[in-house]
Amino acid sequence: MLLSVGTGDSGNGGAVSIVSGESTAAGGGQLLLIAGNGVTSGGSTLISTGVGSAGDSGSLTLSSGTATSGAGGSIFLTVGSGDTGAGGSVQIAAGKTSAASAGGSVSLAGGEGKAGGGFLYLAGGEGTDSIGGAVSIIGGLSSKASPGAAGGQLLLSAGPSSEARGGAAILTSGKGSVTSSGSVLIRSADGGSGSGVSGEVSISSGAGAGTSGNSGSVTVQTGGTTDGAAGSLSLQVGATTSGTS
């Protein structure tokens, strides 16, 4: 089925509106857009905005309805399961540009609320018979050795507060319900082959403000145990073959 509207030679092209029915006593009508089933593969669904030949391309807005006396509607973005192969992937990528400008941004944020802001969960998939899925957050690649160029930064920061205490930043390894818990490794990357210096690792507390604001403490300690040996605490400098340690 082809549904097409007219072309505009001196103005905008024609619009297409598909609206389900309204109800004054019950729920509004549903709008279903489904591709057909197939033997070799199911049909695809493509939703795309128009190209701007001499300007910006069109925007794509996916929004649930606003509620006047209830909860706002949810948006579910789900891919299909696989019974003989891998499950489908979800890719969210901002647009690139060939101009001397920055690429597009991707923003994921929980909603604002009087009783508390909404949560933002990033979780790898469960491995029912093997390892659980990893979560990888990586800054962008820098491909040119121009002055001031560097790979993208990775900034992990707890939320600020305008009138109360700022949020805490907690980095915890996974618990093993039967065996050992996971390790926590914080290290800088190795230096490059062209006499590159490895990055520094700095752990410090924040400065205190005002006349009576103390700075934060730094505590390094191993965990306790009831029947085994307590963990060791080791501080050592790196080895070198030709320089000074």
Side-chain angles (χ1 to χ4, degrees), residues 170-189:
I170 302 174
L171 179 62
T172 307
S173 66
K175 179 181 180 180
S177 58
V178 179
T179 59
S180 303
S181 65
S183 300
V184 175
L185 174 64
I186 301 176
R187 69 183 299 266
S188 64

Side-chain angles (χ1 to χ4, degrees), residues 159-167:
S161 175
S162 58
E163 298 182 2
R165 187 171 184 163

Side-chain angles (χ1 to χ4, degrees), residues 67-208:
T68 57
S69 59
S74 299
I75 294 178
F76 296 95
L77 181 61
T78 306
V79 297
S81 303
D83 57 358
T84 59
S89 299
V90 175
Q91 295 182 346
I92 301 176
K96 64 180 181 179
T97 178
S98 58
S101 302
S105 300
V106 175
S107 298
L108 298 176
E112 179 182 345
K114 291 184 178 181
F119 287 92
L120 176 61
Y121 292 101
L122 294 176
E126 178 182 355
T128 55
D129 296 324
S130 185
I131 301 173
V135 175
S136 182
I137 303 176
I138 303 174
L141 171 69
S142 177
S143 57
K144 289 191 176 181
S146 57
Q153 292 182 325
L154 177 60
L155 305 176
L156 297 177
S157 175
S161 175
S162 58
E163 298 182 2
R165 187 171 184 163
I170 302 174
L171 179 62
T172 307
S173 66
K175 179 181 180 180
S177 58
V178 179
T179 59
S180 303
S181 65
S183 300
V184 175
L185 174 64
I186 301 176
R187 69 183 299 266
S188 64
D190 298 336
S193 58
S195 300
V197 179
S198 65
E200 297 180 356
V201 174
S202 176
I203 300 177
S204 66
S205 65

